[in-house]
Amino acid sequence: RRDSSSKTAPAPCAMSSQPYRNVTVDCLDKAHDHLMNGIKKLTPLLSKAKQKQRVENSNTGGSGASMEVEAISTQLYGIHQKIVNICLRLADHHLRNYFSSNLIQSLRTAARMLSDATSLLGPLGIFQFNGSRTAGNNNSDSSNLYARSILLQYAWLWEYCGHFARSFAADGLWRDRGHTCGADLIGLFREVNASCGSIRKACFGKAAGAANNNSSRSWKSKRTLVTVASHGQVSLDSLSGIVILPHDFEQIEASVLQKEGCHEAIGAAKSILDQKTQIKRDARLVLVVACVCYGHAIDSYVFLASNQKEEEDVINSTKTSTTTSGFSKKNEKDVSVDNGLNLTSMTPNGGAPSVAAPLLRQRLGDACNEIGKILLSESRAVLLPHFSPPRDKIGMMANKSFGMSHVSAIMLASAQFWFLEGLARFTEGHDLRNLALLRCNLCQCCKIRANTNVILPGSSSEDSRKNNSESYLQEAVNHLVSAHDAMGQRDADPVTWDMVSEELAATLLVLGVRRRQSTLSSLSPEPLMLQALRLTPGAEKSIVEPMERSCKIYESLGTARASHQAAAAHYQLALYFSKVWTCQRDEAKTREKLAAAFKHYGLAHRYFFQHVQGNETTFVVLSLDFSNL
C-alpha cells in the first residue's frame, strides 16, 4: 500500500537497476541456455587446473591459486553473474503473469548460481568487505567491487522473494491460475535461504566484525530484520507470527500466569491459528515469510549504502589531501556511479540522503500491518461467547492454568509487536498515510485492552481496573494525536485525516464517559453527593475536557454520522453536569453547572427531535432526563 497523495513516488530498487530490462523473454531463455553450456565446458577445466595446482603446490611447498585457476574462476564468475541477472529478469516476467512454476525455478536457479559464484571467489581471496579503503590499495578496491556485486544481486533476489510472497498473500489468482500453495513458497524460500548461507557468512559476518572494530556505528544496530527484533521468534522455520518479547513474558509470568501456564497459552494461540482454513493459514504464514525476505533485502541495501558512504568519505578526504599538496585525481570515479544504483532516498528539500530502500520499507511495513490485523481479529474472536477452541488438540479441558482471555492476550501482544514494527518501517520511509492508518490499528489494540478483561503485560492484580482502562484509552488517544502530528495538516490527505479525527473523537468520548462512570458511580455504596463533593478541579477537567474535544471534532467533520455522535457527546456532558450541579459549594458554581446541563441537554434534544426515526428509545430517555432536570 502506497501513499497516493505523494508527489514523488520512489521507484522499485530491483526493477530500476537490473540489466537486460529491454531484452525479450525468448532472448533471455536462449542466453540462459548458452551460458549454462559455457559452465558445463569450463567447470571440468577448472577442476583440472585446481588438481594441477595442488600437485605443484605439494611439490614446491607453495600456496595460493595459479594464474590459470584465477582466469577460469573469474570467467566462470562472470557467467554465473550473468545467469543470476537473467533469472531475476525472468522472475520479474513470471511474477507479472502468474507463472508460478517458472518463477519458482528462476528464483531457485538464481540462488544456486549466486552461491556458486561466491564459492568461486572465496579461494581467490578477492571476495570481502575490508571495512575501509586506503589510497593506492587496489586489492581492497577490487575486493569491495566483487563483494558489492554479489551483495547487490543477493538483495535483488530477496526482494523478488518478498514480492512473490506478498503478491501470493493478497491475490487469489496465484491459486486459480498459478496452481500453487503456501507450502510451495515456504519450501522455495527455505531453499533460497540455505543456498545464500555462504553469502551471509562471507558478507555480513565479516562486515559486522569490521563495523564493531573500525567504525563507531555497529552494523548489528542497523538491522531491520524481524528475526532480530523478535529475538529469534520469527524466522523461516518459525512462521506462526506469535511473538512475546522477553520483557513482556517476564511481566506476564510475574503478574497473571505461572511460567508453565504462559507457555501453554502461547501454544494454544498457535494451535488456534493453525486450525484456520488453508487459505487463511497460508496467507498468514506467507506474510511472515514476506517480512523475513524484505528484511534480508533491506539489510543488504543498508549495508551497501553505509559502505558506499564510508568509501565516499575516504575519497573526499584523499582528494582534499592531494589537492592541498598540489596533486589531483582526474580519473577518480564516484562510488555511486560505479554501483549504478541510488541506494538512498533524498529528503523532500533535496538535502542529505535519509534512508536506504524507502519503497521496500513501505512494503515491509504493509506486510507487518497485515499480520497485525490478522492477529487483532483473532484476539477478538477468541473472546466471543460462541467461540469453541480445539480442545482435543490443546488440552484446555484438562488444564485450567490459563483461559481464553490469556490466549487473547498473547495474540493481542503479538499484534502490537507487528504494528510497532510496521510503524517503525513507515516512519523510516516517510509514508504519512499508512503511518496514520497503522496508528489507528494500535488505537484498536488499546481499546480492546480497555474494554475487555484481557490480561496483558503490565497488568498486575494490585492495579486498579479503573486506572488500567483509563490509561489504555489515554494511550489510544496519544496514538491518534501522533497520527495527526505526523500528517501535519488536513490538506496532506483529507480522507485519512477525517478518518483519524472521527476515531479520535470516539475515543475521547469513551474516555470521558469512562472517567465519569468511575468517579460518579451509581453502584458505589457511597451517596452520589459525597462522590461529587470529593471532585477536585483537576478531576473535573479530566472528565469534561475529553468530551468537549469530542464535540468540537464531530461538529467540525460536518457529516450525518458526525452530527449524530456530536449529539450523543452533548448528552453525555449533560448527564455529568446534571449530577454535579446540586453539589457545588457556592451559588455561582451551581448556576454555572446548571446552565451547562441545560445547554447540552438542549443541543442533544434539538438533534434527536429532528431525527426521531430510528432513535426513539434515545429520544424518550433523553426527554425524561431533561424533564427531571
Side-chain angles (χ1 to χ4, degrees), residues 49-90:
K50 287 183 177 180
Q51 184 178 4
K52 180 181 178 181
Q53 183 64 35
R54 283 194 295 269
V55 173
E56 292 179 357
N57 290 339
S58 63
N59 293 333
T60 61
S63 60
S66 65
M67 185 176 298
E68 182 181 5
V69 172
E70 290 184 0
I72 298 176
S73 296
T74 53
Q75 187 70 23
L76 276 171
Y77 165 76
I79 295 176
H80 280 80
Q81 189 181 35
K82 289 181 176 65
I83 291 178
V84 172
N85 288 330
I86 289 173
C87 288
L88 292 179
R89 291 309 304 169
L90 288 172

Side-chain angles (χ1 to χ4, degrees), residues 418-479:
W418 289 105
F419 285 143
L420 291 174
E421 282 294 302
L423 182 66
R425 304 292 83 79
F426 287 140
T427 303
E428 294 167 355
H430 306 290
D431 189 348
L432 301 182
R433 178 177 180 273
N434 282 325
L435 190 149
L437 296 174
L438 201 143
R439 289 279 188 186
C440 291
N441 290 335
L442 283 169
C443 170
Q444 295 300 319
C445 291
C446 297
K447 284 186 174 182
I448 291 178
R449 298 180 70 172
N451 297 332
T452 65
N453 59 345
V454 171
I455 306 171
L456 281 172
S459 304
S460 61
S461 57
E462 292 83 6
D463 291 335
S464 169
R465 178 174 175 80
K466 172 189 71 175
N467 294 334
N468 279 338
S469 175
E470 294 175 8
S471 64
Y472 299 149
L473 289 172
Q474 185 61 53
E475 185 180 351
V477 170
N478 295 338
H479 279 301

Side-chain angles (χ1 to χ4, degrees), residues 548-574:
E548 289 181 342
R549 287 177 60 190
S550 177
C551 287
K552 292 180 180 178
I553 294 174
Y554 278 131
E555 290 169 354
S556 67
L557 292 175
T559 62
R561 173 180 170 80
S563 299
H564 180 92
Q565 292 299 109
H570 284 299
Y571 186 19
Q572 295 297 333
L573 279 167

